Structures are given as C-alpha cells and as structure tokens.
Amino acid sequence: MPQNPTVPRVLILINRLNLGGPAFHVATLTKYLSPEFEMLLVAGTKDDSEESSDYIVKNMGLNFVSLPEMHRSLNPFKDYRSYRTLRKMIRDFKPDIVHTHAAKAGALGRLAALHEKVPVIIHTFHGHVFHSYFSPLKTKVFLQIERYLAKKTSGIIAISERQKKDLSLKYRVCNASKVHMIPLGFDLRNFRENIDEKRASFRKKYLLDDDEIAIGIIGRLVPVKNHPLFLASAASILKQTKKKVRFFVIGDGESKELLFREAESLDLNYTYFKSKPVKADLTFCSWIKDVDVAISGLDIVALSSHNEGTPVSLIEAQAGDKPVISTNVGGIENVVIKNETALLVDSNDYIDYAQQLLRLIEDDELRNRLGKNGWEFVREKFHFTRMIKEVAMLYKQLLTKRKRT
C-alpha cells in the first residue's frame, strides 16, 4: 500500500531482470527518482538461459515485486494471469503513473493501467521488435498492437534520436509529438576505478599474455545479436594477422549450441571456459557479472547486431577507454562517435567488418586514439543524473497535463 499519499506514486514494470541494460535502467530510475516520487518496481521472470540481475537491484538497496507468471515468450494463459495480477497490484498501490519497459511489459502493463484508469501511462522502448526479430506476418501483428497501445499511452520514451524517427516516421507507431527522446543514463564510475587491477584479474583468469590483443563481444546469445558475423571475422583475422589475438564471447542464451557448431564449421580453436578452462583462440565465457572487470581486460569491444536500441556494452566500453567496432544499426550512431570512438560497418558486410576489425588490431595508434576519446563522450551524454532529471520533468509535465483535462 502507498506510504505517502502526498507524493506521486510510480509503478515501474519490466519484462524481467536479466543481465543487460534495461535492468540497470529501471533500477537506476527506482532508486534515484525517490523520494520525489514513491516508487514500486515490478519484474517478470527471466528465461532459464539468461543470467539474473536481481543482485543489481539488491546492491542498490532496493526491493522489487516479482510477477512470476510474466515471461518473455508468448503464453496466452500466463499472460492473462499476469494481466489480472497487474490490475490487482495497481488497485492496491494506486499509482499516479505506470511506466512500462520493453514489449511484453509494455503490452500487459499498459492494458492493465488503462483498465484501472491510471492517470498517466508511459512506455519506454528499449529497442523495438519491428526488424530482425520475427516473421513479416508476426511483425505486422505486433506493429498493429503497438499502434493501438500508443493511442492509449500518455507519453512514449525513445532512448535515441534514431529510435524516435523509427517510431514516428518509419513505422508510424505514433505522432512524433508523443515521443520524448531521453537517452539512458548510468553510473559509470566502476569503469574508471582500479583499472590495472581489474585488467590483471581478467587476463590471469582467461590465460591472456601481456602481448595478446583481446577482442570481446558482450550480450545475449540470440539471433538478433548476429554473433556469426563476429565468429566469421575472427576466423578471417586469425588467418591474416601476425599479431597475437584472442576472441571472447561474453554472454549466454538460446543460440549457444548453434554458435559452438558455427565455430566448428569455421575451424576455430574454441573452448567453453566454464566447463573447459583452457587457452583458445575463441573463448565462450558465459555471463560475467562484473562487466567492468571484463571491459578492463579487453582491448577492443565489438558488436555485430542486426538491430539495437542503446547497447549498454558500447557505453561501458567507452567509459573504460576501449575502442569499439560495431554494425551501424538502430541507435548505434547515438551511442558512439563514428571514427572518433568507434568504427562502424554496414550490417551483414562480413568482408568490411573483418577488414575494419583487422585495422584496429594492426594499428596501435588508432586503437589507442579511439579508446581515449570514449570517456569524455559518454561522461557527458550518458550520466544517470541527467536522465533522472529529464524523466522527472516528463512525469511532472504529463501529470500536470492530465490534471488540466
């Protein structure tokens, strides 16, 4: 039940607290929007293949309410139960604002809030599912659902300018006037502290010599992340360079076994370090909770996705003075500075991706220059205090607008 009836109450709903950017985002909002707002965080259940990020919430001194029926995958029976449970939570908490994050939570949460007559309903898109996720027919259905929900939503938050254009112009989810562009914000101090010690720790664990260049990709092992592009580039580079290089896949997910087979087909010397901790050209690490340690230990951070919103791994890489190579998709150009902190390649251009990554490996001066430029950029654009201020202003603006109508 609400503790302070004079303070606006906000229920934040997210699909699940899996390891990734959205979990950090909602935890940051929940912690730092208080005490100006009374916050309640509600989260669904992660998939078995995903690493839990409950510890992120707990380390911030926060609690959350679990919604065990809500999973990422579609299940009409469980989804209806989730919807009914959400309506009860809303009746009990009596929020002034329901703020949903990601597709499943956005659909169920907004419907529940609408039917319980919550004054203000807000949805944040962390990427979108209109490209590279589903079949054309299923994508069309989801797009129609999002257009309907957008009409019932007080405000929509896009986390990049590119995403705002996608939502309002490319996919016509809603009018641009309803979309508020608020980039994500993070506490990046961990990536600036004890870097030498963290680097030594990572490289000792993964058997890296001082003169070896470590290239890592961080994220869920799912089709949209397009890890085969990274693996194909690794295989090509190992045949071309005379430098000592090692490749690391940090993360886990449904595509793990497929990627093992892909590595075998490319004749890559690889290992799954959790079960076989040996030195290899390609190391599958599974999840690493202390991402700041991994970033410190790597020399280059890569991303190869078909589609992205605001990839946190690239923000963190720049905070840790690491150069980036990435496909130029989604909101990537809003997260890095092309040719200043990152090299960007057209999606699915295997040849250019390998060539640009090889260029980073071979050119020490380029690698160092791109790495050193990163911190100044992300410190200004992605600090969490800026994000909290902008979200709080939007909450107040929409509450005031609601009172006038």
Side-chain angles (χ1 to χ4, degrees):
M1 291 295 292
Q3 300 298 311
N4 188 346
T6 66
V7 173
R9 295 181 292 278
V10 182
L11 187 153
I12 289 185
L13 177 68
I14 187 170
N15 286 355
R16 69 241 194 256
L17 291 174
N18 65 310
L19 202 57
F24 281 98
H25 178 64
V26 298
T28 302
L29 290 178
T30 304
K31 181 175 178 64
Y32 293 106
L33 282 168
S34 178
E36 190 172 8
F37 299 88
E38 185 177 340
M39 309 298 296
L40 175 65
L41 175 59
V42 180
T45 303
K46 70 175 186 65
D47 294 341
D48 291 338
S49 63
E50 297 175 319
E51 185 72 16
S52 172
S53 61
D54 292 7
Y55 72 95
I56 296 169
V57 175
K58 293 173 183 175
N59 287 349
M60 288 188 179
L62 301 170
N63 295 312
F64 71 96
V65 176
S66 176
L67 185 60
E69 302 96 338
M70 189 168 74
H71 292 257
R72 179 169 174 256
S73 58
L74 293 173
N75 183 309
F77 177 70
K78 289 183 178 179
D79 290 345
Y80 181 68
R81 286 179 58 195
S82 299
Y83 161 76
R84 293 293 300 269
T85 303
L86 280 169
R87 289 192 65 173
K88 184 178 186 306
M89 286 182 181
I90 290 169
R91 287 196 297 271
D92 291 343
F93 185 62
K94 298 180 175 60
D96 301 283
I97 299 170
V98 166
H99 185 174
T100 60
H101 296 258
K104 172 67 74 70
L108 298 179
R110 281 184 283 177
L111 284 174
L114 175 67
H115 293 148
E116 292 300 327
K117 297 181 172 53
V118 175
V120 171
I121 303 171
I122 301 172
H123 179 65
T124 292
F125 279 88
H126 294 269
H128 58 68
V129 296
F130 311 138
H131 172 55
S132 300
Y133 280 86
F134 305 110
S135 68
L137 178 59
K138 189 176 286 189
T139 297
K140 186 176 181 179
V141 171
F142 286 144
L143 187 54
Q144 292 301 321
I145 291 171
E146 287 292 348
R147 287 171 178 163
Y148 169 77
L149 290 170
K151 293 178 182 178
K152 308 297 182 180
T153 305
S154 311
I156 287 173
I157 295 176
I159 55 181
S160 70
E161 196 61 47
R162 171 70 176 271
Q163 189 184 67
K164 179 176 180 177
K165 290 178 181 177
D166 278 357
L167 294 173
S168 58
L169 299 177
K170 185 174 182 178
Y171 297 107
R172 302 190 306 279
V173 172
C174 63
N175 190 282
S177 62
K178 186 172 274 191
V179 184
H180 307 266
M181 203 278 284
I182 303 179
L184 300 183
F186 304 93
D187 186 348
L188 298 169
R189 289 173 292 186
N190 277 354
F191 296 89
R192 310 298 302 169
E193 298 170 347
N194 305 316
I195 292 174
D196 291 341
E197 293 89 338
K198 291 173 181 177
R199 181 175 178 83
S201 172
F202 178 88
R203 294 177 80 88
K204 180 180 179 181
K205 177 173 181 178
Y206 291 101
L207 311 174
L208 271 158
D209 296 331
D210 291 341
D211 61 347
E212 288 181 314
I213 297 173
I215 304 102
I217 185 168
I218 304 169
R220 293 180 297 128
L221 306 188
V222 291
V224 74
K225 299 296 184 180
N226 194 21
H227 285 82
L229 172 57
F230 180 74
L231 299 190
S233 298
S236 174
I237 286 165
L238 286 165
K239 295 173 183 177
Q240 298 180 63
T241 187
K242 293 182 180 179
K243 293 210 173 188
K244 296 179 181 179
V245 293
R246 302 266 304 281
F247 295 86
F248 294 84
V249 176
I250 300 171
D252 217 319
E254 64 192 57
S255 297
K256 181 173 66 178
E257 296 297 331
L258 289 173
L259 293 174
F260 289 169
R261 292 196 288 274
E262 183 76 14
E264 290 169 0
S265 72
L266 291 166
D267 201 25
L268 282 165
N269 169 31
Y270 79 94
T271 187
Y272 182 52
F273 205 81
K274 282 182 71 174
S275 58
K276 191 177 181 182
V278 298
K279 189 167 185 171
D281 292 335
L282 172 64
T283 300
F284 289 89
C285 304
S286 191
W287 289 110
I288 298 176
K289 289 185 177 180
D290 297 323
V291 181
D292 53 320
V293 175
I295 295 289
S296 296
L298 296 172
D299 298 292
I300 298 169
V301 175
L303 187 142
S304 53
S305 299
H306 290 300
N307 189 18
E308 282 287 349
T310 299
V312 179
S313 66
L314 301 193
I315 297 170
E316 293 170 336
Q318 292 169 101
D321 294 334
K322 295 302 185 290
V324 166
I325 180 166
S326 175
T327 46
N328 190 6
V329 297
I332 297 296
E333 284 191 326
N334 299 118
V335 173
V336 301
I337 305 176
K338 186 177 181 180
N339 297 326
E340 292 297 324
T341 68
L343 300 181
L344 300 183
V345 179
D346 288 342
S347 180
N348 278 328
D349 191 335
Y350 284 76
I351 295 174
D352 193 34
Y353 193 96
Q355 288 177 343
Q356 294 303 319
L357 180 51
L358 181 61
R359 181 181 163 209
L360 262 185
I361 291 167
E362 299 286 343
D363 191 335
D364 296 346
E365 189 280 329
L366 175 65
R367 195 166 63 250
N368 292 332
R369 177 173 64 82
L370 266 58
K372 289 178 180 177
N373 290 338
W375 172 238
E376 291 301 319
F377 171 60
V378 297
R379 179 176 63 177
E380 295 299 322
K381 187 168 184 178
F382 293 104
H383 198 274
F384 73 92
T385 54
R386 184 268 316 150
M387 177 189 71
I388 294 299
K389 180 180 179 181
E390 292 179 3
V391 172
M393 288 176 60
L394 178 61
Y395 283 0
K396 293 173 185 176
Q397 173 191 332
L398 293 177
L399 283 170
T400 300
K401 182 179 179 180
R402 173 68 179 180
K403 290 175 182 176
R404 288 174 180 168
T405 58

